[in-house]
Amino acid sequence: MTDTRRASLASIREMKDRDELFHDPAAPTGVEELGPEFWAKARLEPARSSKAVHLKLDPDVFEFFKRQGKGHLTRMQDILKAYVKAHTHS
């Protein structure tokens, strides 16, 4: 699994100074370098729009997710998506 975190420019510079960043000099630097084989297999998904709704939650449910920190609304959305996927026959 890819480790994705938010980092400030200062923390990235500190990581660089500690030699904790990895750079693959053979990695493509531009779209042109990816070539037609890459693009033939690329899977492009259309942009999806969200729908804003007002949702009432029990306070203990909301606080459970909020205690987990930033991104609690996204985590709630992800759980709802997983529930829908598990209960959809397709």
Side-chain angles (χ1 to χ4, degrees):
M1 184 196 279
T2 301
D3 182 14
T4 57
R5 302 180 215 181
R6 293 184 183 266
S8 68
L9 181 57
S11 64
I12 292 172
R13 286 182 175 147
E14 289 170 6
M15 290 171 64
K16 182 176 185 257
D17 293 342
R18 292 189 303 262
D19 204 25
E20 295 176 353
L21 296 179
F22 172 76
H23 169 68
D24 182 356
T29 57
V31 174
E32 313 80 41
E33 296 178 45
L34 295 175
E37 293 170 5
F38 172 84
W39 293 109
K41 296 177 185 174
R43 219 177 93 179
L44 304 176
E45 296 184 16
R48 294 175 19 174
S49 62
S50 297
K51 183 172 185 171
V53 298
H54 178 80
L55 177 67
K56 289 186 179 185
L57 301 169
D58 290 342
D60 57 330
V61 172
F62 182 74
E63 289 304 319
F64 172 82
F65 286 96
K66 191 170 180 183
R67 276 193 306 271
Q68 295 175 31
K70 189 174 181 177
H72 60 283
L73 297 176
T74 301
R75 279 190 297 282
M76 293 167 78
Q77 169 71 3
D78 291 343
I79 289 169
L80 289 170
K81 279 184 186 178
Y83 181 89
V84 169
K85 185 176 182 179
H87 292 83
T88 302
H89 306 286
S90 49

